[in-house]
Amino acid sequence: MRFSPSRQIVGALALGLLAACSPAPTPDRAQAQTASAAQSQGLDPVAMAAVVEQARALPNLHAVIVARDGEVLAEHRLRGAALDQPVNIKSASKTVLSALVGIAIERGVLTGTDQKIAPLLASDLPAGGDPRLQEIEVGHLLSMQAGLGRTSGQYYGAWVTSPDWVRHALARPFDDDPGGRMIYSTGTSHLMSAALTQAAGASTHSLARDWLAEPLGVTIPPWPRDPQGIYFGGNDMMMSPRDLLRFGELYRLGGEIDGRRIISAEWIEESWTPRTRSPWSGHDYGYGWFTKQAAGHDVHFAWGYGGQMLFVVPSLDLTVVMISDPSPRPREESHVSDLHDLLDDGLIPAAVAGEGSRPNPSAG
């Protein structure tokens, strides 16, 4: 069913954090409610109280939402936009784009992850370009293994100010062969958006609206486009924290939610299968999803600049959204590590400790 956070649980776990948007209960009453609500829903109340305090201490953290078994158990707006207001999810957009590609394959719009992209982008290929352009496949774009030089980091400004983003990305010199090491580049994701647009004969936004947002019951408003009108692939997509949680739940549930199949379970497994590894973080990477282990549990996550995080822990039936300042100044690399610590050292132990108190824990 559609998420409808329990008033009791939200109030119980708030501990004053929701004061910006609703009156908080008295401290004594809040503590008592916290214990009873958390224990009844499978989160250890002592561990959760510590999580709340840690979250409050992170100045760049705007919002935290925690769901277990599809029930929202903690929902905190610390600062910034309301929880139902679309915000910039930055490079977590790559994860949503991957979902669209999976749906496109299932619908026959794309033939598979081994489909070559050169025929779809033929008019944008540079004259006399590297022959390896003909070898790049859909899967290479999704896993950041296209081999093309980066358009992110120090190369980002020149790319987004170029007159043609697709041609600029295709003209980058190769740093590796297609299928080789991970080269994180938002231009690679933009090529996927362009190829999908060409194959479908429709914009990436219209596909996101028709294939994902409407059946899922969420809102994905239009986001920036390149000079040729191609929707930005891999950055600047807008979703509210609650809608991003809903998207994460779709994956946790194997692609079917509220009795409606939206994405195939096979695609989710494909997306979560490690194919390369980030040279920066050391995390495994599949099709738009990073993967790590925490306390023996597989954690699949979307990661956007500044700390726009969606975590899915299938073995604990746990889905977590963390929204942060999208443009920290100066850049706060340590903030993302703090968010991982909040999950690894706080939320996962709280879920493990509360396992026995879940009303209807699922197998595994």
Side-chain angles (χ1 to χ4, degrees):
M1 69 182 171
R2 187 72 169 94
F3 286 129
S4 54
S6 164
R7 289 189 179 91
Q8 179 190 25
I9 296 169
V10 172
L13 295 180
L15 297 179
L17 285 178
L18 296 180
C21 56
S22 62
T26 63
D28 290 343
R29 184 181 178 188
Q31 293 287 352
Q33 287 177 326
T34 298
S36 62
Q39 287 175 339
S40 68
Q41 295 294 330
L43 290 177
D44 179 75
V46 174
M48 281 304 301
V51 168
V52 169
E53 291 306 312
Q54 291 165 15
R56 293 179 66 180
L58 299 178
N60 286 341
L61 184 57
H62 285 191
V64 179
I65 308 178
V66 183
R68 192 168 199 191
D69 300 309
E71 184 75 22
V72 174
L73 303 183
E75 189 177 57
H76 302 304
R77 172 181 173 261
L78 311 181
R79 56 188 64 84
L83 297 179
D84 56 0
Q85 179 179 330
V87 296
N88 192 336
I89 63 172
K90 295 294 187 177
S91 284
S93 306
K94 295 175 174 67
T95 310
V96 180
L97 181 65
S98 173
L100 296 179
V101 172
I103 297 171
I105 292 172
E106 185 174 0
R107 290 172 177 247
V109 172
L110 297 170
T111 61
T113 55
D114 59 352
Q115 181 175 353
K116 302 291 194 295
I117 66 155
L120 293 172
L121 303 178
S123 63
D124 294 309
L125 294 174
D130 193 305
R132 286 176 289 185
L133 288 168
Q134 303 294 326
E135 301 172 15
I136 300 175
E137 301 174 354
V138 165
H140 296 150
L141 299 182
L142 294 176
S143 61
M144 296 291 174
Q145 294 176 282
L148 290 165
R150 300 182 72 211
T151 58
S152 294
Q154 61 183 314
Y155 307 103
Y156 186 82
W159 173 54
V160 296
T161 56
S162 70
D164 192 314
W165 296 6
V166 173
R167 292 186 179 184
H168 185 102
L170 288 170
R172 294 290 296 154
F174 276 82
D175 286 345
D176 202 348
D177 293 332
R181 61 187 173 87
M182 181 183 186
I183 301 173
Y184 189 92
S185 175
T186 298
T188 296
S189 294
H190 193 63
L191 294 179
M192 188 67 255
S193 180
L196 181 59
T197 298
Q198 179 65 28
S203 73
T204 306
H205 173 253
S206 66
L207 300 178
R209 180 194 62 214
D210 297 343
W211 292 355
L212 195 60
E214 290 186 0
L216 194 55
V218 304
T219 299
I220 303 179
W223 64 95
R225 294 179 285 176
D226 72 9
Q228 285 65 48
I230 302 297
Y231 276 90
F232 204 164
N235 200 5
D236 288 349
M237 194 177 288
M238 306 286 288
M239 293 182 74
S240 75
R242 286 172 176 158
D243 284 352
L244 187 59
L245 185 82
R246 174 80 167 171
F247 175 76
E249 276 292 286
L250 174 66
Y251 270 70
R252 183 187 70 82
L253 293 170
E256 182 177 348
I257 196 165
D258 296 338
R260 184 170 185 176
R261 170 67 58 185
I262 298 175
I263 303 175
S264 71
E266 291 77 14
W267 181 252
I268 293 174
E269 289 301 316
E270 284 283 300
S271 301
W272 284 350
T273 299
R275 301 173 191 283
T276 185
R277 179 168 293 183
S278 168
W280 312 107
S281 68
H283 295 131
D284 290 332
Y285 194 68
Y287 289 155
W289 287 85
F290 290 93
T291 292
K292 68 172 187 176
Q293 277 216 336
H297 297 274
D298 286 335
V299 179
H300 309 288
F301 62 99
W303 176 4
Y305 176 79
Q308 322 314 317
M309 313 298 293
L310 167 63
F311 297 102
V312 180
V313 190
S315 59
L316 294 175
D317 298 299
L318 196 67
T319 305
V320 178
V321 165
M322 300 182 190
I323 297 296
S324 305
D325 180 355
S327 301
R329 296 182 179 85
R331 182 168 178 161
E332 293 284 352
E333 295 289 357
S334 63
H335 176 68
V336 174
S337 296
D338 290 338
L339 299 184
H340 280 275
D341 290 344
L342 200 64
L343 178 84
D344 298 355
D345 302 331
L347 291 171
I348 287 179
V352 171
E355 184 73 17
S357 63
R358 294 164 69 189
N360 293 298
S362 61

